[in-house]
Amino acid sequence: MEHITLLLAIVVVTALVFDFTNGFHDTANAMATTISTGALKPKTAVAMSAVLNLIGAFLSVEVAKTISGGIVNEDGLRTEVIFAALVGAILWNLLTWLVGLPSSSSHALFGGLIGAAVMSAGWSSINGGTVVTKVLLPAIAAPLVAGLAAMLATRLTYRINRNVTDEGQLKSTAKGYRAGQIASAGLVSLAHGTNDAQKTMGIITLALVTGGVLAPGSNPPLWVIVSAGVAIALGTYLGGWRIIRTMGKGLTDLQPPQGFAAQTSAATVILASSHLGFSLSTTQSCSGAVMGAGLGRKGGVVRWSTATRMFVAWGLTLPAAGLVGAGAEFLTKQGPWGIAVTAVILVGGSFAIWLASRRQPVDHTNVNDMDGEGEPQGVVTTAIAAVQPPPVGGPAADLATTIPAPAPSPDDPARPPAKV
């Protein structure tokens, strides 16, 4: 580390700041359903997620190698390009957090990196094949696969329990699914650390290669792995409450069995992709699984207005972060004064977004406040529900999904279904 220059140190610190924003931006992926159903208290949930994110950072480096040596050509790449890419990714992350949209931190990073590299060295600096096979295709496939798996798992879950009618069995089943939700949320957190912390490891490793500290193709050093894991864990513990609220009330009405199915499906997809080196979006995987679980329960409603806003944010992330990254790289090419101006823009823009967020604060005390209930189910939900077989057990089958109680409390397994 004694060969790290001032600019390289600034890039490393900026990358860790991005990792921190990634942590609180994506906390909702693991914990929104667990918090909204009352399986865990908000602060307990984010603390658990933070610890497992840190552990997950040490499980693999395949995604880091994809980023550090796959998306862009390392030869001739300047350290300033990495800085410009991070500026685009951080500002987009903060902007979408401000409006409560669960966009992809991964695609924000990729977009910033691609835009900055193209501005610096042209389109020849981009490995198009890697971008298509390990970024774009997983972005399309991941939410579809996770959603289909969650929908099938949800239907299977309700079919298995359709004949459970005894009140004692119902309470035992509800407690079991809540315990399963906690376990599956932990698995999602572990998967998130395995996939997303590696992206920062990869970007820091790429910066060290461009600065001549590491040889091309090197694995992330231990200090990079540790610092990236700690940064994403701290961000996760802070809690991205705005996005947790969106995921926790806007997409669908989930009961504990559906939450368990959604989180398990998403975690399976993320962990499998991490070990294959596919740098997919954990946000898209988890959101797809939540919608699939909503469609899997007879009578379930997916709120497509919220889903449409998410789809638009997903589509805009790569080009928007790319444009900001390209603009930042245009400034850094002008010399030291351009780098200084870019740094001022990053700090000033981040501070302005934070000030705007203080007008309507969202934290662990009001994250489950709900509004906008009663949106009618859309055409897709109606069509899928129409082809689902009715419960065999008649009215008793409905009792298998909820437990009637005169006065539900946060710790009562019979709480009515929460908004997710």
Side-chain angles (χ1 to χ4, degrees), residues 5-85:
T5 63
L6 176 61
L7 176 60
L8 194 53
I10 292 173
V11 171
V12 171
V13 171
T14 306
L16 293 177
V17 171
F18 166 78
D19 205 24
F20 179 82
T21 67
N22 190 352
F24 74 74
H25 197 279
D26 289 1
T27 308
N29 295 343
M31 292 300 170
T33 60
T34 307
I35 291 172
S36 63
T37 60
L40 283 175
K41 295 181 179 179
K43 296 296 287 185
T44 303
V46 297
M48 170 183 154
S49 184
V51 172
L52 291 171
N53 264 292
L54 178 60
I55 295 172
F58 292 89
L59 297 184
S60 173
V61 294
E62 292 303 316
V63 174
K65 290 163 64 176
T66 295
I67 295 174
S68 63
I71 293 178
V72 298
N73 296 320
E74 299 169 337
D75 297 336
L77 196 66
R78 301 180 308 120
T79 305
E80 292 88 334
V81 174
I82 312 300
F83 179 57

Side-chain angles (χ1 to χ4, degrees), residues 236-310:
T236 300
Y237 182 71
L238 180 65
W241 304 112
R242 291 174 177 272
I243 298 176
I244 290 176
R245 173 185 280 186
T246 298
M247 293 274 288
K249 73 181 181 64
L251 277 178
T252 186
D253 304 326
L254 285 192
Q255 298 171 349
Q258 294 169 278
F260 173 67
Q263 290 168 327
T264 303
S265 301
T268 302
V269 171
I270 296 166
L271 284 172
S273 299
S274 296
H275 289 287
L276 292 173
F278 293 128
S279 187
L280 53 75
S281 166
T282 56
T283 300
Q284 294 179 0
S285 300
C286 293
S287 300
V290 167
M291 287 186 282
L295 294 173
R297 176 172 63 87
K298 184 174 178 62
V301 175
V302 171
R303 289 176 173 78
W304 294 105
S305 60
T306 301
T308 300
R309 290 171 56 223
M310 289 172 49

Side-chain angles (χ1 to χ4, degrees), residues 40-411:
L40 283 175
K41 295 181 179 179
K43 296 296 287 185
T44 303
V46 297
M48 170 183 154
S49 184
V51 172
L52 291 171
N53 264 292
L54 178 60
I55 295 172
F58 292 89
L59 297 184
S60 173
V61 294
E62 292 303 316
V63 174
K65 290 163 64 176
T66 295
I67 295 174
S68 63
I71 293 178
V72 298
N73 296 320
E74 299 169 337
D75 297 336
L77 196 66
R78 301 180 308 120
T79 305
E80 292 88 334
V81 174
I82 312 300
F83 179 57
L86 290 167
V87 170
I90 291 172
L91 289 178
W92 181 256
N93 261 2
L94 292 177
L95 183 61
T96 50
W97 162 76
L98 176 64
V99 298
L101 281 179
S103 66
S104 171
S105 298
S106 307
H107 291 175
L109 179 61
F110 300 149
L113 184 59
I114 292 171
V118 170
M119 175 59 70
S120 174
W123 288 102
S124 61
S125 63
I126 306 299
N127 294 324
T130 301
V131 172
V132 171
T133 58
K134 293 201 171 185
V135 177
L136 296 181
L137 290 182
I140 298 172
L144 294 177
V145 172
L148 180 61
M151 184 174 69
L152 295 177
T154 299
R155 292 189 176 186
L156 178 62
T157 296
Y158 281 114
R159 179 171 291 276
I160 291 174
N161 292 297
R162 66 186 183 276
N163 294 323
V164 177
T165 59
D166 180 74
E167 184 174 349
Q169 290 181 318
L170 289 173
K171 288 183 177 180
S172 177
T173 300
K175 289 180 179 179
Y177 276 121
R178 289 200 175 188
Q181 254 195 302
I182 295 173
S184 60
L187 189 59
V188 173
S189 297
L190 191 71
H192 182 259
T194 303
N195 198 281
D196 278 42
Q198 287 190 58
K199 292 158 189 171
T200 300
M201 297 177 204
I203 208 73
I204 293 176
T205 302
L206 182 59
L208 295 174
V209 169
T210 62
V213 178
L214 294 178
S218 299
N219 287 337
L222 179 61
W223 68 268
V224 172
I225 296 174
V226 172
S227 59
V230 170
I232 200 169
L234 288 175
T236 300
Y237 182 71
L238 180 65
W241 304 112
R242 291 174 177 272
I243 298 176
I244 290 176
R245 173 185 280 186
T246 298
M247 293 274 288
K249 73 181 181 64
L251 277 178
T252 186
D253 304 326
L254 285 192
Q255 298 171 349
Q258 294 169 278
F260 173 67
Q263 290 168 327
T264 303
S265 301
T268 302
V269 171
I270 296 166
L271 284 172
S273 299
S274 296
H275 289 287
L276 292 173
F278 293 128
S279 187
L280 53 75
S281 166
T282 56
T283 300
Q284 294 179 0
S285 300
C286 293
S287 300
V290 167
M291 287 186 282
L295 294 173
R297 176 172 63 87
K298 184 174 178 62
V301 175
V302 171
R303 289 176 173 78
W304 294 105
S305 60
T306 301
T308 300
R309 290 171 56 223
M310 289 172 49
F311 297 152
V312 170
W314 293 355
L316 289 176
T317 296
L318 270 171
L323 287 174
V324 177
E329 169 57 15
F330 177 79
L331 287 175
T332 62
K333 289 172 66 175
Q334 311 308 313
W337 71 267
I339 296 175
V341 169
T342 303
V344 169
I345 291 174
L346 174 61
V347 174
S350 301
F351 184 68
I353 292 172
W354 179 81
L355 284 180
S357 73
R358 295 300 86 200
R359 296 175 183 174
Q360 292 182 325
V362 180
D363 57 25
H364 67 282
T365 63
N366 62 356
V367 66
N368 279 333
D369 290 353
M370 299 180 182
D371 55 16
E373 296 187 35
E375 178 183 320
Q377 64 184 26
V379 175
V380 176
T381 305
T382 304
I384 293 180
V387 300
Q388 182 172 349
V392 175
D398 293 333
L399 295 176
T401 63
T402 59
I403 305 170
S409 65
D411 297 322

